[in-house]
Amino acid sequence: MSDKKISYEQIANPKSHYGNARASTRHFITQRVSGAVNIVLLALTLFIMVQLAGEDRSDVVELIGAWYIGLPLAVLIAVAAIHMRNGMRDTLEDYMHGKTYDLAMLLNTLFCLLLGALGIIAVLKLVFWG
């Protein structure tokens, strides 16, 4: 984000061009695709959770450790982390500016990366090492 001020007249004029159109389009598409993938994978996860209701821990670990359940779950965690980062980015863009914005975006990215990596590692550990 640049430090150049954008006036109301520039925003209100539909013929003015400001911002990065390519990055904005990529962000828009990423948000929509990750949302659609989340819906599909969360439906699968909900189905699995209903099936496992009342089972003990060993049965749950055994099912999540199956590659056909664990790998889609790891993909869900990755896509959810990407979707979370983009959603939090939208809020940060609205309320923060300058150096505070840069720091908040860095912390947002690191938080989502850490959370996604820990979740994926936990699931893949169950899949590959029991």
Side-chain angles (χ1 to χ4, degrees):
M1 179 157 189
S2 67
D3 292 330
K4 190 168 76 169
K5 296 281 184 185
I6 297 173
S7 66
Y8 173 76
E9 290 77 25
Q10 187 178 9
I11 294 172
N13 181 1
K15 293 183 179 180
S16 66
H17 298 282
Y18 61 93
N20 187 341
R22 188 168 287 150
S24 296
T25 302
R26 182 179 60 243
H27 176 75
F28 178 84
I29 291 172
T30 303
Q31 195 71 345
R32 295 325 180 262
V33 170
S34 65
V37 171
N38 279 338
I39 290 171
V40 171
L41 291 174
L42 282 172
L44 173 68
T45 304
L46 182 63
F47 176 75
I48 292 166
M49 288 175 58
V50 168
Q51 296 298 318
L52 288 174
E55 298 292 328
D56 54 351
R57 183 184 183 280
S58 61
D59 292 334
V60 173
V61 169
E62 181 181 335
L63 185 65
I64 292 175
W67 68 270
Y68 53 87
I69 300 296
L71 294 181
L73 187 59
V75 170
L76 171 65
I77 292 169
V79 172
I82 292 168
H83 190 76
M84 178 174 62
R85 180 190 176 275
N86 284 340
M88 290 168 47
R89 174 185 167 199
D90 291 340
T91 303
L92 294 174
E93 285 175 347
D94 289 343
Y95 296 107
M96 296 189 170
H97 307 286
K99 298 285 185 190
T100 308
Y101 170 77
D102 294 337
L103 177 63
M105 280 302 296
L106 175 67
L107 293 174
N108 176 33
T109 301
L110 291 175
F111 175 74
C112 294
L113 184 65
L114 178 70
L115 199 65
L118 289 175
I120 291 169
I121 289 169
V123 170
L124 293 181
K125 181 183 176 289
L126 289 176
V127 171
F128 293 112
W129 296 285

